């Protein structure tokens, strides 16, 4: 059977990341043993700790790279996003510092969606994490759930009724010169050493896998990322 080029790429990504994760597991195991060796001097231990930190970053990068491949099977189920986000809220609060507050607006009247829960969770967590990093010096993050009708003239969308989940923040915004690059894999404006530049790439890929889309608006003082997923009735379920 002939394999489509995109299927081949997905298989290649999954295979390579699996092999790399096996190799990194060995790194973690042996580095853990070495770090417990009381005979090593402080300089050697510091060097090993840096190697272990690098291996951890590599593992996270492999996980995110793997998530870019189309899954062989999505686990579809009905999801009430209001309840879903409420369950995640404690973890969001734990990620806040004292200078940032996080609010949610989750009306129960919004329709449910038919989607894969793992991917929905990843999308929300990634967007909230980005928003919290944007407001690390102080500000507010807001998660809002709404029903939305597809705007007239939107050629990319065939579904009439959508569920919109937006994550907004009061951070500095996305610089105009970076606006066309933020979804490019490995591009990042963050100064943190462990920033992979894959977060938004993954979110957009997952939204499209679930029949939806990701869009955003940004200006100094307000950035809003919006996940749009088909309402359950519109998804034909």
């Amino acid at each position: 059977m002939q394999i489509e080029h995109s299927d081949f790429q997905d298989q290649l990504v999954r295979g390579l990341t699996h092999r790399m994760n096996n190799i990194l597991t060995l790194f973690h195991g042996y580095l853990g043993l070495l770090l417990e060796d009381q005979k090593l001097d402080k300089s050697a231990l510091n060097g090993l700790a840096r190697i272990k930190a690098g291996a951890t970053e590599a593992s996270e990068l492999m996980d995110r790279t793997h998530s870019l491949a189309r899954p062989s099977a999505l686990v579809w189920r009905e999801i009430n996003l209001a309840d879903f986000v409420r369950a995640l809220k404690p973890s969001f609060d734990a990620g806040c510092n004292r200078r940032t507050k996080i609010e949610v607006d989750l009306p129960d009247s919004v329709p449910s969606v038919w989607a894969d829960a793992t991917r929905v969770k990843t999308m929300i967590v990634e967007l909230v994490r980005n928003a919290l990093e944007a407001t690390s010096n102080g500000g507010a993050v807001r998660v809002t759930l709404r029903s939305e009708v597809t705007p007239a003239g939107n050629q990319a969308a065939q579904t009439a009724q959508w569920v919109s989940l937006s994550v907004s923040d009061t951070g500095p915004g996305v610089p105009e010169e970076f606006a066309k690059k933020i979804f490019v894999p490995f591009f990042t404006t963050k100064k943190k050493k462990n920033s992979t530049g894959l977060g938004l790439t993954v979110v957009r890929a997952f939204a499209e896998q679930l029949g939806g889309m990701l869009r955003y608006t940004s200006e100094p003082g307000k950035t809003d990322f919006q996940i749009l997923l088909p309402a359950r009735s519109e998804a034909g379920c």
Side-chain angles (χ1 to χ4, degrees):
M1 181 177 65
Q2 186 176 1
I3 299 177
E4 297 291 337
H5 182 59
S6 59
D7 291 336
F8 171 75
Q9 288 178 323
D10 294 335
Q11 292 178 21
L12 182 62
V13 169
R14 284 193 288 266
L16 287 174
T17 53
H18 177 72
R19 293 290 299 274
M20 283 299 299
N21 276 327
N22 286 342
I23 295 171
L24 290 167
T25 298
L26 289 175
F27 267 77
H28 288 297
Y30 284 111
L31 285 169
L33 292 174
L34 288 170
L35 286 168
E36 294 176 359
D37 189 344
Q38 302 298 321
K39 297 179 181 179
L40 295 177
D41 60 32
K42 185 176 180 180
S43 177
L45 289 172
N46 286 340
L48 289 171
R50 293 181 65 181
I51 294 173
K52 186 174 178 61
T56 299
E57 290 180 21
S59 294
E60 293 175 354
L61 178 60
M62 287 298 100
D63 289 340
R64 287 188 170 186
T65 301
H66 183 273
S67 67
L68 289 174
R70 289 187 306 169
S72 55
L74 292 169
V75 181
W76 297 91
R77 69 176 179 87
E78 183 177 0
I79 299 174
N80 181 312
L81 284 178
D83 291 341
F84 199 87
V85 175
R86 289 188 190 107
L88 293 173
K89 179 66 161 52
S91 65
F92 299 158
D93 292 335
C96 284
N97 60 39
R98 295 180 179 179
R99 294 169 292 183
T100 301
K101 63 178 181 178
I102 184 165
E103 303 171 344
V104 296
D105 181 9
L106 309 168
D108 290 316
S109 59
V110 174
S112 59
V113 298
W114 193 255
D116 178 271
T118 299
R119 278 155 182 76
V120 171
K121 179 180 178 180
T122 298
M123 290 191 294
I124 297 171
V125 169
E126 286 287 353
L127 291 184
V128 171
R129 179 187 295 141
N130 277 354
L132 290 175
E133 289 178 356
T135 56
S136 60
N137 292 326
V141 173
R142 187 174 181 83
V143 182
T144 307
L145 193 61
R146 292 285 184 269
S147 295
E148 182 171 321
V149 176
T150 301
N154 188 342
Q155 300 299 320
Q158 301 300 320
T159 301
Q161 187 69 37
W162 299 84
V163 175
S164 163
L165 188 145
S166 69
V167 179
S168 61
D169 67 71
T170 58
V174 179
E176 186 175 352
E177 63 268 26
F178 298 147
K180 294 182 179 180
K181 299 179 181 179
I182 62 172
F183 297 113
V184 175
F186 306 111
F187 174 81
T188 180
T189 61
K190 299 175 184 177
K191 297 181 180 179
K192 295 171 61 177
K193 291 183 178 180
N194 62 347
S195 296
T196 62
L198 283 174
L200 291 176
T201 307
V202 168
V203 174
R204 186 169 71 171
F206 280 7
E208 293 174 354
Q209 287 172 8
L210 298 175
M213 66 187 80
L214 175 67
R215 61 190 186 190
Y216 85 100
T217 58
S218 184
E219 61 185 46
K222 184 176 182 181
T223 295
D224 180 56
F225 281 91
Q226 184 182 37
I227 300 168
L228 287 167
L229 296 175
R232 187 172 187 271
S233 60
E234 296 292 342
C237 304

